[in-house]
Amino acid sequence: MCSLRLPGVEVEPEQAARQLPSYHDVIGYDMDVPEYALELLLAYDGRLHYFASGHYLKFEVKAVEKSRRVPHGIAYSLTLHAPDGKRLI
């Protein structure tokens, strides 16, 4: 029988949906992101990107303490809004 293979992980196809490795297992908890990349992301905080339809994307990006849940130290939100400001996603 064929199995799904990821680095360091082997899962049978019928179990794949229930046993896929977590994001942290694949990328590693101690990820080291270059400082310039973090500064670039942080610069998006408060940015609005407008579409011709009047809809817009709103970016919220904040530096937070690194943890297992947030290994890169960035908390973010990306939301889609209708032209009248109502949040859609």
Side-chain angles (χ1 to χ4, degrees):
M1 177 165 278
C2 182
S3 62
L4 173 66
R5 287 189 175 83
L6 295 172
V9 179
E10 188 169 316
V11 179
E12 295 302 320
E14 58 273 0
Q15 297 175 354
R18 291 180 281 134
Q19 295 184 3
L20 284 177
S22 74
Y23 167 80
H24 303 292
D25 293 334
V26 174
I27 66 159
Y29 172 63
D30 294 323
M31 67 185 284
D32 191 21
V33 178
E35 189 67 28
Y36 68 86
L38 295 177
E39 292 301 322
L40 179 66
L41 289 171
L42 289 169
Y44 271 75
D45 186 44
R47 183 173 291 199
L48 300 177
H49 177 83
Y50 288 91
F51 296 95
S53 65
H55 292 78
Y56 62 94
L57 293 174
K58 180 180 177 185
F59 296 85
E60 294 179 5
V61 187
K62 305 283 185 212
V64 297
E65 188 173 331
K66 290 183 180 183
S67 67
R68 180 156 176 81
R69 183 172 178 191
V70 187
H72 39 66
I74 300 288
Y76 60 91
S77 172
L78 173 63
T79 54
L80 175 65
H81 296 262
D84 65 0
K86 180 180 177 185
R87 181 177 169 174
L88 302 174
I89 297 177

